[in-house]
């Protein structure tokens, strides 16, 4: 295994090779600042760099700018470090993190990866979407879902507006947008930044887990994030076979408005998970602060 300093000096070089897993103690320069509990948690995960192949023909090239945690390690971060319920792991492929942040960093952020094999998404509607009108409809849908949320003991959600309006790259078949949300009466708002990569059989989903005040950093990271993922030959959008392949029930507008989840009765579930992600990154658990400060959970 390479030491942290040595790893940093050749990071760009190893990005051309298949994924390489490191021990956290040798990968993260911040490892020594944590207490026993924090170190024990980081010892459970193995950051991967270089190139990663995921199911259904998804390929990641981390280019020395990100590291990848597989589904098991991402689950450790989501549940043990960030306090999410095990249900948040459903469909998870893994997580990406910028190379400068370890998963316990109070100012850090991560990107959750998942896939939805809904079929080929016809993008003909993309050029004609009125995003202001869409926002009004999405606000109504969010309010309508609040009755079920409050009955289940969760805070109602207010969709404040676009944190970043939708952008569709028709050439590369990539879509991204951001919503600003308020949970209950929380003073700090939550950032919901979503990226979709369109493929032959469905979409690769990247969901940023971050706070609203991290929006400038998130936007600065987008060019790099958008070039990390691609579909293998045979799985690309251009490989679609009309009449033979499944076509999704929604277009680009439906992806943004969350109509796929709504059709499946999953809208409330998705927003519950978002609450967990957002609130724990904005206001870290007392346990997490103790870890950061190097104290035990019993102190």
């Amino acid at each position: 295994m390479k030491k942290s300093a040595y790893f940093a000096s050749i990071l760009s070089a190893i990005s051309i090779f298949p994924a390489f897993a490191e021990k956290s103690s040798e990968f993260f320069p911040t490892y020594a600042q944590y207490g026993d509990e924090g170190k024990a948690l980081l010892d459970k995960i193995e950051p991967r760099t270089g190139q990663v192949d995921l199911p259904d023909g998804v390929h990641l090239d981390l280019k020395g700018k990100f590291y990848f945690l597989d589904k098991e390690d991402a689950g450790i971060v989501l549940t043990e470090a960030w306090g999410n319920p095990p249900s948040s792991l459903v469909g998870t492929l893994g997580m990406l993190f910028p190379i400068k942040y370890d998963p316990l960093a109070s100012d850090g952020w991560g990107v959750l990866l998942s896939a939805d094999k809904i079929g080929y998404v016809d993008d003909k509607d993309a050029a004609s979407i009125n995003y202001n009108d869409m926002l009004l409809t999405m606000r109504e849908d969010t309010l309508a879902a609040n009755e079920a949320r409050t009955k289940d003991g969760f805070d109602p959600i207010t969709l404040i507006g676009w944190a970043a309006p939708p952008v569709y790259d028709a050439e590369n078949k990539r879509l991204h947008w951001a919503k600003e949300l308020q949970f209950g009466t929380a003073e700090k708002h939550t950032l919901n930044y979503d990226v979709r990569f369109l493929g032959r059989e469905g979409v690769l989903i990247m969901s940023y887990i971050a706070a609203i005040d991290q929006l400038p950093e998130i936007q600065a990271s987008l060019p790099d994030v958008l070039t990390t993922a691609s579909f293998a030959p045979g799985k690309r959008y251009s490989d679609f076979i009309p009449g033979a392949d499944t076509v999704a029930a929604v277009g680009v507008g439906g992806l943004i408005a969350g109509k796929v989840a709504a059709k499946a009765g999953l809208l409330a579930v998705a927003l519950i998970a978002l609450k967990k992600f957002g609130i724990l990154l904005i206001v870290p658990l007392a346990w997490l602060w103790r870890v950061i400060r190097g104290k035990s959970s019993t102190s």
Side-chain angles (χ1 to χ4, degrees):
M1 289 291 184
K2 300 177 288 297
K3 298 300 182 183
S4 296
Y6 181 49
F7 169 80
S9 70
I10 66 167
L11 190 56
S12 60
I14 67 173
S15 66
I16 64 174
F17 296 110
F20 185 85
E22 279 267 18
K23 288 184 177 179
S24 291
S25 59
E26 298 172 341
F27 184 88
F28 297 117
T30 53
Y31 179 87
Q33 79 180 33
Y34 293 108
D36 291 342
E37 234 174 330
K39 289 176 181 176
L41 192 147
L42 290 176
D43 285 341
K44 295 181 180 181
I45 64 175
E46 290 189 348
R48 299 166 185 262
T49 57
Q51 299 187 18
V52 179
D53 288 320
L54 299 176
D56 299 318
V58 174
H59 178 74
L60 301 177
D61 185 352
L62 305 180
K63 304 180 187 299
K65 297 181 179 180
F66 302 93
Y67 62 91
F68 174 77
L69 298 183
D70 63 19
K71 180 178 180 178
E72 181 179 351
D73 287 354
I76 292 171
V77 171
L78 289 173
T79 60
E80 297 185 34
W82 293 2
N84 286 277
S87 60
S88 65
L89 307 181
V90 176
T92 300
L93 297 176
M95 291 186 73
L96 293 181
F97 291 87
I99 206 78
K100 64 180 179 179
Y101 293 130
D102 68 66
L104 299 182
S106 60
D107 57 347
W109 48 266
V111 182
L112 185 67
L113 277 62
S114 58
D116 195 347
K117 297 186 70 171
I118 56 173
Y120 174 88
V121 177
D122 192 329
D123 64 354
K124 292 178 181 176
D125 66 328
S128 60
I129 299 173
N130 184 315
Y131 291 119
N132 290 327
D133 290 345
M134 176 181 284
L135 182 62
L136 295 176
T137 301
M138 291 169 63
R139 281 176 173 158
E140 293 173 357
D141 290 344
T142 304
L143 288 173
N146 278 336
E147 182 178 355
R149 286 180 53 79
T150 53
K151 283 183 179 179
D152 290 336
F154 293 91
D155 288 334
I157 296 174
T158 302
L159 174 54
I160 303 299
W162 298 122
V167 174
Y168 180 59
D169 179 350
E171 179 179 355
N172 294 300
K173 308 303 178 184
R174 298 186 301 230
L175 170 69
H176 58 88
W177 73 97
K179 295 178 291 187
E180 180 179 353
L181 301 169
Q182 181 183 28
F183 289 90
T185 58
E187 293 184 7
K188 287 194 174 185
H189 293 174
T190 296
L191 175 66
N192 177 206
Y193 214 123
D194 279 295
V195 180
R196 300 289 186 273
F197 298 79
L198 277 59
R200 176 182 177 181
E201 300 173 336
V203 294
L204 171 67
I205 302 169
M206 289 192 179
S207 300
Y208 279 89
I209 302 172
I212 191 67
D213 57 5
Q214 293 173 301
L215 179 60
E217 184 177 356
I218 298 304
Q219 290 179 310
S221 76
L222 262 178
D224 290 328
V225 169
L226 290 173
T227 58
T228 59
S230 61
F231 289 100
K235 300 288 187 178
R236 297 169 300 193
Y237 193 84
S238 59
D239 296 323
F240 172 70
I241 302 176
D245 291 340
T246 301
V247 177
V250 297
V252 169
L255 293 179
I256 299 169
K259 294 302 183 183
V260 178
K263 286 178 181 292
L266 298 176
L267 182 59
V269 176
L271 291 176
I272 288 171
L274 172 64
K275 173 193 176 183
K276 297 291 185 180
F277 297 152
I279 200 167
L280 288 175
L281 210 60
I282 295 170
V283 185
L285 294 172
W287 175 86
L288 182 52
W289 278 121
R290 285 194 290 266
V291 169
I292 291 169
R293 294 170 181 166
K295 299 178 181 179
S296 72
S297 60
T298 58
S299 60

